[in-house]
Amino acid sequence: MNALETVLGEIHSATGGSGAPGDAGGPGGSEAAAASGTALIDAATGLTYAEAGDCAAAGSGHDVWRLLTLIEDGLHRAGAEGELESVTVTARRTYHLVRVLPRQGGDPVLLSAVLDREHTNPALAARQLATAAEGLFA
């Protein structure tokens, strides 16, 4: 396992991913999220650098990249200014959180997490993902 996969595995664990169903408790439980998969994706190309857990529900890195590109283009056409920071997509059984991580001297990367909707507080999960991502390029 390379260093990037190790860090992504730590982020996956920090957002509640352990592979055991129901580990995160319920909506009233002590954990904020039950991550089934996390991925680190190149924001310029959609290339997936590393994955932890099961990311199949989110699609490929290219799928995530295309979705964020469409959202960002639509926001700019609607008059929004600035850069996209994060996106939360809700599905019947999952939440998909994608965070744009700037890199000094390079294109940004996307940190994507697929979360079990039944066992996740999306606001706390987004905060956990942001906190865990802070150390990724430190």
Side-chain angles (χ1 to χ4, degrees), residues 37-101:
T38 53
L40 192 64
I41 303 161
D42 186 284
T45 65
L47 174 73
T48 300
Y49 290 127
E51 293 181 333
D54 178 15
C55 296
S60 70
H62 191 261
D63 293 337
V64 172
W65 169 78
R66 282 187 33 209
L67 175 64
L68 259 63
T69 301
L70 286 170
I71 291 170
E72 190 167 39
D73 289 349
L75 287 171
H76 289 301
R77 281 194 307 273
E81 295 181 18
E83 296 179 9
L84 187 63
E85 182 177 290
S86 67
V87 171
T88 301
V89 177
T90 59
R92 191 166 292 228
R93 294 186 182 102
T94 58
Y95 293 117
H96 302 260
L97 277 63
V98 182
R99 187 151 186 89
V100 179
L101 306 175

